[in-house]
Amino acid sequence: MMTVDSPHIICINPWIHDFAAYDFWAKPLGLLSLAAVLRTHGVRVSYVDCLDRFHPKADHPGYSADGRGPYRKTPIPAPKPLADVPARFSRYGIDPRWLAADLASAGRPDLVLVTSLMTYWYTGVAETIAAVKRLYPDAPVLLGGIYATLLPEHALAHTGADEVLPGPAEATIFRAIEKYAGFSCRPDFDPADIDAFPYPAFDLQSEIPYVPLLTARGCPNRCAYCASHVLQPRRMRCLPENAAAEIAYWHDRFGVRNFAFYDDALLADAEDHAIPLLERIAAMKKDLSFHTPNALHVRPITSKIADLMVKAGFATLRLGLETADGKNRELDDKVRHEEFVRAARLLLEAGVDEKRIGAYLLVGLPGQDLSSVEASIDTVKKCGIRPVLAYYTPIPRTRMWAAACRASRYDLAAEPLFTNNSLMPCMPEYDRPLINRLKQRASAA
Ligand code: B12
């Protein structure tokens, strides 16, 4: 099957450049999935994580009981388009000297794979690739991931990558390896079958404080503000027994206790998917904690699901208040309001700690009257759970993008940095007193 000796590939999770960043169960699941695929096909894979909170050279590794924690942070000048923003800009992640040393000790690569996440973090990607090119000027750098998929031309022009490969790459990565490393091999699994994928290579990390789980790719919904259907056009769902086996694997082999679901719609078709999965997790009787930072839809929550979540060990719950069609976005719609109140009641009755249930409220949507958010905050509180403000990020290729561009005081289409939600880019102005009032109202007891 192989035509040349195994190539050496370095996979890199790049730095973040932003006004704020925190590890809310955020790992480069896609990159580590590809690393696992390559490894099982005879490729020598090294992993360099610019966001490693547990880097051996870090003074104070950021431990926390549930896996979350702060990234190391270094103030840097803001990129020119953001120079006038009155907030401190930073590089999040390891010291550049540690990165250089890690790249050197990995050894010369035949190919470098860099992932990307937020479109407005591209300057962090560019700084990472520049560091690679300083050490290994001849090594080809291939960029993929979410930014690369949403804005491939921009990514090619602005990051220094030799090639940008958009979209899910379980199938396409093999051609790239052949092109750049002369290593020809065919996938020995079906890239259209999520059950056939190897487990992501979290074992390449210096620590495994938690494991992200993705029991399905893609989303059955088409919310106007979300790019999931562009990023993962093909919906694939794994069998509940396989998801349960993966959880047991990380716990039994590596002692992992915290798991974060990345699914866009974990509760879709719950009878066939989430319910059997939760039953299996509960039956394991292991002391595990599950977190849903990517939000659960409230509509499918029943008393059975709420009970099973408690039995399985769901510790941090985030609820999304948006509807599937993205039409009714504020908490003023009758049906949605009742659904929400009911879901909150069921979860509280089942025994989920009220402090650990948060409801995301989208703030800063095009045309949104921010004072309406105050009423939504009060409604959520009345239900006995926590409002969590989620600042709207305009995303290219979503249905809401055109409206976002029209509403914005910035030229969003010309400069992805302006889509940073810290700027509240779709509001006519950054109304600091009002935003502070909302924050206070949301956090007040
Ligand atoms: C899980 C998730 C999170 C997690 C953390 C994820 C992480 N890794 O850090 C949490 C819940 C914390 C999170 C938070 C946020 N998120 Co989020 N998140 C996601 C989600 C649902 C899944 C990402 C994922 O892991 N996918 C699964 C893997 C397997 O796919 P993948 O990473 O794309 O990888 C594949 C390909 O891209 C490719 N690939 C990847 N790397 C590479 C490298 C190479 C070289 C190649 C060739 C290929 C390749 O192959 C992989 C395998 O097929 C996406 C939506 C989605 N469905 O993708 C949104 C998404 C990325 N998030 C988004 C947003 C806006 C946010 C928030 C800002 C939300 C908010 N407004 O408050 C926050 C803030 C994050 C922050 N500042 O830290 C947006 C991004 C918008 C943008 N402008 O880029 C998305 C697209 C959702 C959306 N609304 O459309 N998020």
Side-chain angles (χ1 to χ4, degrees), residues 64-99:
S64 77
D66 64 12
R68 286 178 288 186
Y71 297 120
R72 191 172 178 281
K73 145 176 177 179
T74 312
I76 55 170
K80 248 207 204 111
L82 302 179
D84 292 339
V85 179
R88 189 181 268 198
F89 198 77
S90 297
R91 176 200 307 112
Y92 290 85
I94 63 175
D95 188 298
R97 287 164 300 188
W98 308 350
L99 172 60

Side-chain angles (χ1 to χ4, degrees), residues 19 37 39 120 164 245 250 258 272 284 327 338 437 442:
F19 298 102
V37 164
R39 207 165 55 170
Y120 52 86
V164 171
W250 291 112
N258 285 288
D272 299 328
M284 284 184 205
K327 271 187 200 139
E338 276 154 18
R437 213 167 64 224

Side-chain angles (χ1 to χ4, degrees), residues 257-270:
R257 293 191 47 244
N258 285 288
F259 294 85
F261 281 102
Y262 276 9
D263 291 63
D264 282 311
L266 183 63
L267 301 182
D269 304 321

